[in-house]
Amino acid sequence: GAGVSQTPSNKVTEKGKYVELRCDPISGHTALYWYRQSLGQGPEFLIYFQGTGAADDSGLPNDRFFAVRPEGSVSTLKIQRTERGDSAVYLCASGQQGVDTQYFGPGTRLTVL
Amino acid sequence: GNSVTQMEGPVTLSEEAFLTINCTYTATGYPSLFWYVQYPGEGLQLLLKATKADDKGSNKGFEATYRKETTSFHLEKGSVQVSDSAVYFCALSYSGGSNYKLTFGKGTLLTVNP
């Protein structure tokens, strides 16, 4: 079946602009995670959804970052007033409820000029 | 807080060589431990996992044993192939309810030459 998909695969924007990154999880997966991977680093947790609600947003770096999952499937990560330090690969992962295995998408590479 | 420390890379080996990538962790309680792999141009994939002390995870010839006494989860393979060239990430998570958020190490780049 289809895996986790993320769009766009690449996004180049200018400092101060607003961006939206989309994640389509595996059908039926109720858990959805966003991570950020900076160059040369491992992925860092941003936010976790169980169904429609953000159950843990402790990894969001500041209030410029926000994510939604209105129907419990597709999720959108929104970044306002982008900064050059936001440049990274943003990864989405999904999983089944009660199971610790996560399935990752290919990521969106965000470049802020 | 929780953290994972991995052996610094890059690691370059010849085909059929023995591989060890060291991983140690700092955590309270008893986390689950994972190795994820990222092949060139692909997304992260789960390679193997272990959920309690002395468990051994294995897959594709790779093995790692959960050592609580040394807080380690070293990745090993007896004979690497060129196709094993990838970045390997050690990670941990807790089953805090249903939230299995992962804490990753920095990753180790492995290159296997023919």
Side-chain angles (χ1 to χ4, degrees):
Chain A
V4 178
S5 62
Q6 293 186 245
T7 54
S9 55
N10 280 285
K11 176 71 177 177
V12 180
T13 191
E14 294 180 342
K15 180 175 178 296
K17 299 289 189 185
Y18 169 83
V19 297
E20 290 189 350
L21 312 179
R22 176 186 167 110
C23 172
D24 273 275
I26 293 172
S27 178
H29 281 190
T30 57
L32 187 145
Y33 303 81
W34 283 97
Y35 295 85
R36 178 168 72 173
Q37 186 174 15
S38 301
L39 194 62
Q41 303 295 315
E44 294 180 314
F45 169 77
L46 294 177
I47 187 168
Y48 158 65
F49 287 90
Q50 181 57 243
T52 59
D56 181 356
D57 64 359
S58 62
L60 294 178
N62 52 60
D63 62 6
R64 294 186 299 105
F65 289 75
F66 189 70
V68 296
R69 195 185 184 200
E71 297 177 359
S73 179
V74 170
S75 177
T76 305
L77 178 66
K78 307 181 181 198
I79 311 174
Q80 298 178 321
R81 304 183 304 281
T82 52
E83 300 178 356
R84 293 195 180 88
D86 298 335
S87 296
V89 176
Y90 289 81
L91 299 171
C92 174
S94 70
Q96 294 176 308
Q97 185 168 4
V99 180
D100 58 10
T101 299
Q102 295 179 31
Y103 298 85
F104 282 80
T108 294
R109 182 176 298 278
L110 176 66
T111 303
V112 182
L113 301 177
Chain B
N2 303 328
S3 66
V4 174
T5 302
Q6 276 183 247
M7 173 175 161
E8 292 279 332
V11 174
T12 302
L13 296 174
S14 297
E15 208 164 23
E16 299 184 3
F18 183 84
L19 168 70
T20 300
I21 301 178
N22 290 338
C23 171
T24 58
Y25 67 90
T26 301
T28 54
Y30 304 99
S32 294
L33 300 174
F34 305 81
W35 278 99
Y36 277 83
V37 60
Q38 190 168 34
Y39 297 104
E42 297 184 18
L44 277 167
Q45 302 174 26
L46 178 65
L47 180 60
L48 53 84
K49 69 178 184 182
T51 56
K52 60 183 189 296
D54 300 325
D55 268 2
K56 177 185 285 188
S58 61
N59 186 25
K60 299 182 180 181
F62 291 89
E63 293 183 340
T65 301
Y66 189 141
R67 300 286 187 202
K68 180 170 168 290
E69 63 275 14
T70 54
T71 61
S72 65
F73 193 55
H74 304 321
L75 183 68
E76 296 183 336
K77 186 175 186 182
S79 176
V80 294
Q81 305 301 311
V82 172
S83 57
D84 294 326
S85 298
V87 182
Y88 293 81
F89 293 92
C90 186
L92 65 81
S93 79
Y94 288 96
S95 58
S98 59
N99 183 358
Y100 296 100
K101 65 182 176 183
L102 290 159
T103 299
F104 285 90
K106 290 186 176 183
T108 303
L109 173 63
L110 170 66
T111 301
V112 180
N113 294 318

